[in-house]
Amino acid sequence: MTAYVISEVEIVNPTLADEYKRLAEASIQRHGGRYLVRGVRPDAVESVWSCERRLVIVEFSDMEHARKWYASPDYAEALKLREVALERRLLFAEGLLP
């Protein structure tokens, strides 16, 4: 079942955020993920969305691949940067059954 990594992001340090994005993108590609939405400001129809926050959605073939990516040494360097580069809320969600 397809899995999605959904991230609500606010950039704290633009320089470090650029490096984080570069490292994260490379690790996502190595683990078979692909960006569906990257860095957009969504249209919040039934809520308030801060103009400082962006939305990122990454698709993986299944939850196992998403979790392996997140826990991987490939992503570890980016994750360490994330702590000082941006604030975020991160969600993992499975898609619908085929």
Side-chain angles (χ1 to χ4, degrees):
M1 182 180 328
T2 305
Y4 301 94
V5 177
I6 304 158
S7 199
E8 181 183 325
V9 179
E10 184 173 338
I11 294 173
V12 175
N13 181 317
T15 302
L16 293 177
D18 286 344
E19 180 65 8
Y20 166 81
K21 286 189 274 188
R22 185 185 68 75
L23 293 169
E25 180 176 20
S27 70
I28 286 166
Q29 288 177 351
R30 281 193 294 274
H31 286 267
R34 71 181 183 114
Y35 285 94
L36 299 179
V37 175
R38 188 172 188 186
V40 301
R41 192 176 299 141
D43 183 9
V45 192
E46 292 190 6
S47 181
V48 175
W49 186 276
S50 167
C51 65
E52 302 297 320
R53 299 190 78 73
R54 300 292 184 266
L55 182 67
V56 178
I57 302 174
V58 177
E59 178 184 62
F60 285 92
S61 59
D62 55 41
M63 190 62 78
E64 182 180 351
H65 281 89
R67 291 192 186 282
K68 282 184 180 179
W69 159 74
Y70 185 78
S72 73
D74 286 336
Y75 184 57
E77 186 177 358
L79 192 55
K80 185 179 277 187
L81 269 180
R82 201 256 350 127
E83 295 173 2
V84 292
L86 46 99
E87 293 288 329
R88 83 167 168 203
R89 179 179 358 195
L90 188 70
L91 307 164
F92 284 33
E94 288 184 318
L96 298 173
L97 293 171

